[in-house]
Amino acid sequence: MEKEPNAVPAASEPTGEDRYRQLFENSPVGILNVGLDGKPLMVNERAATSFGYATPQEFLDDVPSMLDLWVDPAERDRAAEIMLETGVLRDFEVAMKRRDGVSITLSVSANPWRAPDGSVVGLQISGIDVTDRIQAVERLEEAQAHASIAFWSWRLDTNEFVHTKEGYDILGIGPTDAKQLHIADMGDLVHPADREMVAMRLGTLRRIPGERFDVEFRVVTPAGETKWLMVRGGVHDDGIEVSGSIQDITKQKLVEEKLTELNEMKTEFVSIVAHDLKVPLTVASGYADFLQSQWGKISEGERRRLIEKIQQAVGRLDSLVAGVSEIARLEAGTAIVDLRPFDLVELVRSTVEDVSSVQPEPSCNVSVPEGLPRALGNRENVGRVVTNLLSNAFKYSPQTEPIEIDISRRNGYLQVSVRDRGPGIALSDQPKLFQKFSRLPQNGDGPRPLGTGLGLFICKSLVEAGGGTIWVDSAPSKGSTFSFTLPVATG
């Protein structure tokens, strides 16, 4: 057949080598051909840029051997073992070094690179940079660990229970203990007080695809630690498998309990203050109205007595306001504490006389050894502490039993102890004594003394501001001894 006279000659078909080179150079995957000695012989642009080089030639000029780029020699040896065993390498994740020394993670595959005669002359390696994915997974695992969350699966037909590794820490069990973990093993970890509730919740779980549930309960780890867990889950489409998450919410529950306690204390304090404000106001107002209406009909002595009652009521109001104000200054850090040497023995004796002049019974015995040094502190603040402790002792002591006040020296400190023979304080209540807004339940048969529960908290704050400590020794029916220390003045 004759050629048409004006036909354009057909372009020559690309050879197999041309196709290979185009694919090699333009591949979105990094590709290297490496000799048996590890020397890179060919590298495409994607591989060169992954290692931090601008061009493939720059990579070939700078890298004498691919063996030098492996971060962990053990990983390199493991890859070689796999090649020897199977002849290929598939999706082997390995850490390698960039030009700037930064580690990157590559998912590597390798095949033998053969000469035309079929002999193996090297390896053809392809790799994908998966550093971002690996880092994202690590960040997710780190966040999961910080959040104390584990994921779990439970088969309803076999009762097999499995969970992610975070579950070991949350449940307090080791991997060895968890190899044959059964749902009954989980049940044994549940706190005895919560087992019935948990059993009821799980007992109502029906095999309905998509059904969701959540439950909070406590577990007791094999080490004896109590933890709060939030368990969430749902039934799979097959109606047999249930999966979900376990979260350690112990810290959250402790915060909630503390907030609840503080809220209860605040509510009680508001109630106490409102009551203690109302009572003296009612008393003062009642006596004032009576005086106004009956002034000319009662004697001067009666008038004086009623005016004294009004003054006492106003004094109670003043004491309450002063206590609340003192709390505000102490918490704001604006209370001024001027520490100077002073005669502690003289202060205690003077305070005892002042308190006893108002309430002569019961009597007070002061015990002081010879030669005590002066104390270092704020005399006014220490006087308030001694007055408060003595006043409490007078409130609780039987009138026939004396109050004992002892001053002594203990290891560089002066110690003041006030002992009464009142009803005493239960050991479980003693930690609450020096808390703000705290009042203890009534002990004994007598009426509960009035007060806001601020006195001992203020005492504790004032003593500690002066470098001392305060505490109580007590037991029901055995009285109470309140003690505090002050530094000895030196120089």
Side-chain angles (χ1 to χ4, degrees):
M1 184 175 180
E2 297 183 3
K3 284 187 178 181
E4 296 182 7
N6 297 324
V8 178
S12 61
E13 291 291 332
T15 65
E17 184 176 347
D18 291 334
R19 291 193 185 95
Y20 173 79
R21 182 167 295 279
Q22 290 177 6
L23 177 63
F24 182 86
E25 293 177 350
N26 299 322
S27 173
V29 177
I31 301 176
L32 301 97
N33 288 347
V34 182
L36 293 177
D37 58 357
K39 178 179 177 59
L41 304 175
M42 294 178 63
V43 58
N44 69 352
E45 185 172 354
R46 175 55 65 92
T49 56
S50 293
F51 284 98
Y53 292 91
T55 64
Q57 189 58 49
E58 191 177 26
F59 178 90
L60 294 173
D61 293 342
D62 193 62
V63 179
S65 172
M66 291 299 296
L67 300 178
D68 298 333
L69 299 184
W70 291 69
V71 171
D72 185 357
E75 285 187 345
R76 182 186 63 201
D77 296 342
R78 176 59 182 153
E81 290 177 4
I82 294 174
M83 286 291 297
L84 290 174
E85 291 175 2
T86 65
V88 295
L89 193 67
R90 291 287 180 265
D91 302 324
F92 187 84
E93 289 189 357
V94 59
M96 304 194 79
K97 291 180 288 189
R98 284 168 43 95
R99 185 181 192 180
D100 55 9
V102 175
S103 176
I104 58 175
T105 303
L106 301 177
S107 178
V108 173
S109 296
N111 294 293
W113 180 25
R114 300 181 183 275
D117 62 2
S119 62
V120 176
V121 295
L123 296 175
Q124 184 173 73
I125 303 172
S126 62
I128 302 174
D129 188 346
V130 295
T131 306
D132 291 341
R133 175 178 64 80
I134 295 298
Q135 290 178 345
V137 171
E138 290 175 349
R139 286 193 296 269
L140 179 62
E141 291 178 346
E142 182 179 0
Q144 179 178 327
H146 284 305
S148 297
I149 298 177
F151 298 96
W152 56 270
S153 177
W154 170 28
R155 287 193 61 90
L156 298 175
D157 54 349
T158 64
N159 273 337
E160 181 185 7
F161 184 86
V162 296
H163 59 79
T164 57
K165 62 183 185 205
E166 291 77 17
Y168 299 137
D169 292 331
I170 293 176
L171 298 174
I173 56 177
T176 302
D177 302 328
K179 282 183 178 179
Q180 302 297 326
L181 195 61
H182 191 273
I183 194 64
D185 301 316
M186 279 294 297
D188 292 340
L189 294 176
V190 177
H191 192 285
D194 293 342
R195 286 178 184 171
E196 183 177 354
M197 178 271 294
V198 173
M200 290 179 61
R201 291 295 303 274
L202 296 182
T204 59
L205 184 63
R206 294 170 295 174
R207 302 185 184 187
I208 301 177
E211 184 176 2
R212 309 290 303 174
F213 70 93
D214 60 78
V215 58
E216 291 183 8
F217 59 92
R218 290 164 294 178
V219 295
V220 180
T221 70
E225 181 183 5
T226 299
K227 293 185 176 183
W228 274 98
L229 304 184
M230 165 63 82
V231 176
R232 296 183 175 91
V235 182
H236 289 202
D237 292 341
D238 58 11
I240 296 176
E241 187 174 0
V242 185
S243 64
S245 63
I246 304 173
Q247 182 176 6
D248 184 348
I249 59 170
T250 306
K251 292 182 180 179
Q252 174 186 329
K253 296 296 289 189
L254 291 175
V255 170
E256 290 177 0
E257 290 173 1
K258 187 62 176 178
L259 288 174
T260 300
E261 179 184 352
L262 291 174
N263 189 58
E264 291 174 352
M265 290 172 64
K266 180 198 71 175
T267 301
E268 182 180 5
F269 172 68
V270 171
S271 174
I272 291 170
V273 171
H275 174 271
D276 287 0
L277 283 172
K278 182 179 180 180
V279 171
L281 278 173
T282 301
V283 171
S285 177
Y287 284 133
D289 290 343
F290 182 79
L291 279 172
Q292 184 181 36
S293 63
Q294 303 294 323
W295 184 268
K297 301 179 181 180
I298 58 178
S299 66
E300 182 177 348
E302 184 66 9
R303 293 175 195 159
R304 290 182 180 276
R305 188 183 69 82
L306 294 177
I307 291 173
E308 288 177 359
K309 293 289 187 182
I310 294 174
Q311 289 175 332
Q312 291 174 3
V314 172
R316 285 184 57 195
L317 284 175
D318 181 67
S319 177
L320 175 62
V321 172
V324 175
S325 299
E326 185 68 26
I327 290 293
R329 286 195 297 271
L330 290 169
E331 292 194 330
T334 58
I336 299 175
V337 182
D338 183 17
L339 304 181
R340 297 174 182 270
F342 70 97
D343 189 338
L344 178 61
V345 175
E346 182 275 328
L347 173 65
V348 171
R349 291 190 186 278
S350 175
T351 305
V352 169
E353 289 179 6
D354 292 341
V355 176
S356 297
S357 67
V358 178
Q359 185 174 350
E361 298 294 339
S363 62
C364 292
N365 297 328
V366 181
S367 175
V368 182
E370 294 286 339
L372 282 182
R374 291 159 68 85
L376 179 66
N378 184 288
R379 191 180 189 281
E380 181 181 352
N381 287 349
V382 176
R384 294 178 61 186
V385 173
V386 176
T387 300
N388 187 285
L389 297 184
L390 282 174
S391 298
N392 284 344
F394 273 95
K395 289 177 184 177
Y396 290 100
S397 289
Q399 291 190 353
T400 57
E401 297 288 347
I403 295 170
E404 305 289 343
I405 301 100
D406 178 73
I407 308 175
S408 58
R409 185 170 183 173
R410 298 281 189 275
N411 301 322
Y413 289 86
L414 293 180
Q415 178 176 315
V416 179
S417 298
V418 179
R419 179 189 177 194
D420 65 61
R421 290 176 172 80
I425 304 163
L427 185 63
S428 59
D429 288 330
Q430 291 179 22
K432 307 172 188 176
L433 278 174
F434 299 99
Q435 293 179 1
K436 184 171 51 177
F437 312 145
S438 177
R439 295 202 304 177
L440 299 185
Q442 176 182 338
N443 280 331
D445 300 326
R448 180 177 184 175
L450 298 175
T452 61
L454 297 176
L456 289 176
F457 174 79
I458 294 174
C459 287
K460 180 176 184 291
S461 301
L462 295 177
V463 168
E464 292 179 349
T469 56
I470 188 169
W471 68 95
V472 64
D473 295 305
S474 184
S477 303
K478 296 185 180 298
S480 303
T481 301
F482 285 85
S483 304
F484 70 93
T485 60
L486 293 173
V488 170
T490 58

